Amino acid sequence: MSSENAGGAVKSMDAIMSLCKRRGFVYQASEIYGGINGFWDYGPLGTLLKRNLREAWWQDVVMNPCWGRKGPTGERVSVLPIETRLIQHPKVWKASGHVDGFNDPMVDCRATKGRYRYDHVMVYVPESGDAGNKPVFAYVGDQPSEKSQKKLAEKTFGAIKSVALSSLPQPWDRVIAPDADQPGTLTPPRQFNLMFHTYVGALATEDDKAYLRPETAQGIFVQAKNVWDTNRVKVPFGIAQVGTSFRNEVTPRNFTFRSREFEQMEIEFFCHESEAMQWYAHWRDWRMEWWKSIGLAGENLILREHEQDELAHYSKATSDIEYRFPFTAPGFGELEGVAYRGNFDLSQHQKHSGAKLEYNDPTRGEILPNGARRGERYLPHVIEPSAGLDRGVLAILCEAYTKDESRPSPEFMKFHPRLAPIKAAVFPLVDKEGMPEIAEKLHADLSAKFGRLGFIETDAKQSIGKRYARMDEAGCPYCFTIDGETLTNQTVTMRDRDTGAQHRVAIDEVASILTDKLNG
Ligand code: GAP
């Protein structure tokens, strides 16, 4: 699992995962019990990194939406926050379509007990003609089976091509499953609902069955009318929520990319149908800019507009913001979807709950003979920018990971200063001659000023080179070192993580320099 990134350096997923473990970004959940598939914990640095990403989204989406830019129809963009529960009334998920339709088809291998998403299984077949009575070789992309099956297929057929398993007629008597020895071990596909369920109350009968939310969005839809009825807000406006979702993924994999518990950052933006396509374009373009602003730049980030045949029946337009993860390279994996969902969700909830969810728009509708406006009643249309927080953290980790053998610290994390879990480090060059005391004071001052943004580190042990290397690996953008010269002219060395360049700055300017750098 490796890829060439824009800068030409090879990024290996194994190296990224190993640094994440070593430096306390990400740990396997319940690791001492052997782990639990599809669940990941964050260590101290990972927790801060994730918090900083969540906070950046919150700040730019809710507190100062779209950086204060006007919307396409000339008004300030307005977004309100909400926090809804992980467990909703089960009818919410019936109305949303998740009970009946949130399924992944899976196939099992009777021999190896492997389980695969049906739509992920590919088969190597001869490039031309059919395989006759020879076996054909099934594999799953990015998995070791891809290479080993390819070798066997080439040995059997010479020139080969890949086709989807679904294109072969069943039963698959001649298909050798990934990692199997004999053909014919794959079961027919079965539908598997991705929602986790539980029981509410002590009796735990089927009537008490409830679901852990598979997305935060439906909580927003079911409270939308309460929000517009109880706040001084009018359409167009958005409601934003960040929180945990659960999906019992058939094949969780690729580190945290497809997890069974993860956080989403979702916006439902409500508008009049006549303005929906403009708002769609606004959110699509701004969300792309936003990801760039926090460090996902260059060729690794793309915007992919869905083809007509990819759209859900209620969607008039959808695009995905995709990142080139090392395990998807040279392809891309979804980071955020921006969908124009019509008024599908509100109309479903109106139908299933019996509650009237129409919005009465005082700015539209017919003018009465007395000059007053009647107001237009309608179910607002919705633009939904829906991003994965954990997937965002993973993209940031992959983008930040940099290897440069010419440096004393060959591996370093090039986090955008806004996201860096450690904002700065203060070191005494040696642990004597009054330097520790000066470092201690500077550390305390910076912690008081910047502590709400991230850690300010200090450390007097080991050589200064080793201390810099530790900070580089943790992605700390700036180090300030107190040395002999500090004692005479009150200047310190400021070292830049990305270039390794050092220059002297006055000690009493460090705080304002850091403010500029962290805001820049
Ligand atoms: N309400 C729309 C919705 O949930 P989605 O495309 O299923 O849309 C939105 O999910 C985002 O949530 C994805 O773009 C991805 O970043 C993240 N996501 C979805 N499933 C995930 C999983 N199993 N693990 C981690 N992140 C996931």
Side-chain angles (χ1 to χ4, degrees):
M1 286 197 289
S2 64
S3 74
E4 187 103 354
N5 78 350
V10 171
K11 294 198 186 192
S12 131
M13 208 52 219
D14 291 342
I16 295 171
M17 287 167 72
S18 143
L19 186 141
C20 282
K21 167 81 195 289
R22 191 168 75 244
R23 294 313 308 267
F25 283 99
V26 182
Y27 306 132
Q28 199 179 9
S30 310
E31 189 187 288
I32 59 170
Y33 289 97
I36 168 163
N37 199 6
F39 296 88
W40 297 90
D41 292 336
Y42 290 90
L45 292 185
T47 303
L48 271 178
L49 178 67
K50 184 170 166 182
R51 187 204 67 152
N52 290 348
L53 182 59
R54 189 194 290 114
E55 190 53 36
W57 181 87
W58 190 257
Q59 188 61 36
D60 297 346
V61 164
V62 179
M63 308 312 286
N64 182 27
C66 309
W67 304 317
R69 284 189 197 163
K70 297 245 167 73
T73 45
E75 65 283 80
R76 203 170 55 84
V77 182
S78 161
V79 179
L80 296 177
I82 200 168
E83 184 183 311
T84 68
R85 297 279 65 100
L86 295 178
I87 294 183
Q88 300 282 328
H89 194 292
K91 282 187 181 164
V92 167
W93 307 110
K94 184 78 187 161
S96 67
H98 285 84
V99 170
D100 299 320
F102 196 45
N103 299 317
D104 272 346
M106 60 181 188
V107 291
D108 288 307
C109 173
R110 292 187 203 94
T112 64
K113 306 294 170 220
R115 171 163 289 175
Y116 310 99
R117 276 244 320 246
Y118 179 38
D119 53 331
H120 287 175
V121 185
M122 304 293 293
V123 184
Y124 287 121
V125 296
E127 191 179 56
S128 55
D130 63 31
N133 58 5
K134 289 188 180 150
V136 292
F137 298 84
Y139 70 95
V140 176
D142 318 327
Q143 300 293 296
S145 61
E146 182 173 359
K147 272 198 190 132
S148 50
Q149 296 288 73
K150 189 170 184 211
K151 258 197 195 155
L152 289 169
E154 280 169 345
K155 212 164 136 197
T156 312
F157 302 119
I160 54 169
K161 65 180 180 192
S162 288
V163 296
L165 176 64
S166 56
S167 67
L168 302 187
Q170 289 182 54
W172 298 311
D173 290 345
R174 310 255 26 109
V175 175
I176 300 195
D179 307 314
D181 300 326
Q182 300 299 321
T185 59
L186 282 178
T187 64
R190 282 181 296 156
Q191 291 295 338
F192 175 74
N193 191 284
L194 296 188
M195 280 195 294
F196 281 99
H197 65 261
T198 184
Y199 297 95
V200 175
L203 292 180
T205 68
E206 268 309 284
D207 290 344
D208 306 314
K209 191 168 168 184
Y211 301 98
L212 302 191
R213 68 179 177 200
E215 60 173 22
T216 66
Q218 297 303 324
I220 301 181
F221 290 122
V222 299
Q223 293 293 3
K225 182 164 165 47
N226 267 340
V227 172
W228 70 60
D229 280 352
T230 59
N231 292 272
R232 290 174 69 83
V233 68
K234 52 184 179 42
V235 167
F237 80 102
I239 305 178
Q241 162 152 254
V242 48
T244 299
S245 296
F246 296 87
R247 295 184 189 179
N248 199 1
E249 297 284 357
V250 178
T251 48
R253 64 191 168 126
N254 289 332
F255 205 17
T256 61
F257 182 82
R258 186 172 300 115
S259 301
R260 289 179 163 144
E261 178 181 344
F262 55 96
E263 273 184 77
Q264 292 181 303
M265 309 184 288
E266 300 201 277
I267 308 161
E268 304 303 331
F269 195 82
F270 300 92
C271 59
H272 190 266
E273 183 177 7
S274 62
E275 294 174 351
M277 281 310 279
Q278 283 170 281
W279 279 108
Y280 164 72
H282 166 88
W283 281 106
R284 179 197 60 197
D285 297 346
W286 182 73
R287 291 302 302 145
M288 182 74 183
E289 258 192 85
W290 186 82
W291 284 109
K292 285 184 185 163
S293 80
I294 51 160
L296 297 187
E299 294 164 11
N300 288 338
L301 194 72
I302 56 160
L303 183 71
R304 188 179 70 80
E305 196 82 41
H306 284 206
E307 303 291 338
Q308 282 298 316
D309 61 359
E310 271 185 275
L311 296 177
H313 66 90
Y314 46 77
S315 176
K316 294 214 175 76
T318 294
S319 36
D320 288 342
I321 297 173
E322 298 184 338
Y323 180 74
R324 180 156 52 195
F325 294 91
F327 47 81
T328 58
F332 293 80
E334 179 185 329
L335 193 56
E336 172 161 355
V338 182
Y340 171 18
R341 297 180 63 87
N343 59 12
F344 174 75
D345 306 88
L346 289 178
S347 63
Q348 283 294 101
H349 288 302
Q350 179 163 274
K351 193 164 111 197
H352 284 253
S353 67
K356 274 250 158 281
L357 299 180
E358 282 177 341
Y359 174 72
N360 187 5
D361 191 335
T363 66
R364 293 174 189 274
E366 177 193 359
I367 310 234
L368 300 170
N370 66 2
R373 225 185 240 284
R374 191 196 293 279
E376 183 183 334
R377 300 184 79 85
Y378 58 89
L379 283 179
H381 278 225
V382 169
I383 312 302
E384 179 190 71
S386 169
L389 173 54
D390 297 80
R391 213 174 264 185
V393 170
L394 181 58
I396 298 286
L397 286 166
C398 293
E399 183 73 17
Y401 179 85
T402 312
K403 195 152 191 194
D404 180 352
E405 297 290 353
S406 69
R407 289 168 61 118
S409 55
E411 283 179 304
F412 67 110
M413 298 300 273
K414 237 173 168 174
F415 295 126
H416 188 288
R418 191 175 182 198
L419 300 185
I422 303 176
K423 299 297 182 199
V426 179
F427 299 139
L429 183 62
V430 289
D431 201 7
K432 53 187 180 187
E433 294 164 20
M435 294 179 209
E437 291 74 12
I438 302 175
E440 216 169 281
K441 174 155 187 330
L442 183 59
H443 174 253
D445 290 349
L446 296 183
S447 297
K449 199 158 184 336
F450 301 101
R452 72 193 159 80
L453 304 175
F455 285 139
I456 306 292
E457 289 269 313
T458 185
D459 182 5
K461 309 257 154 35
Q462 296 189 307
S463 72
I464 192 71
K466 285 211 171 111
R467 282 180 274 166
Y468 286 153
R470 265 190 77 71
M471 284 302 105
D472 287 349
E473 268 192 352
C476 166
Y478 307 105
C479 294
F480 299 94
T481 302
I482 318 299
D483 53 20
E485 227 182 300
T486 313
L487 307 175
T488 57
N489 66 6
Q490 282 75 52
T491 62
V492 298
T493 301
M494 176 172 173
R495 175 181 175 278
D496 182 285
R497 171 198 65 202
D498 298 345
T499 60
Q502 304 188 12
H503 66 281
R504 297 204 74 81
V505 299
I507 194 164
D508 52 11
E509 281 175 15
V510 168
S512 69
I513 292 171
L514 204 50
T515 303
D516 291 347
K517 295 281 187 194
L518 297 182
N519 291 335

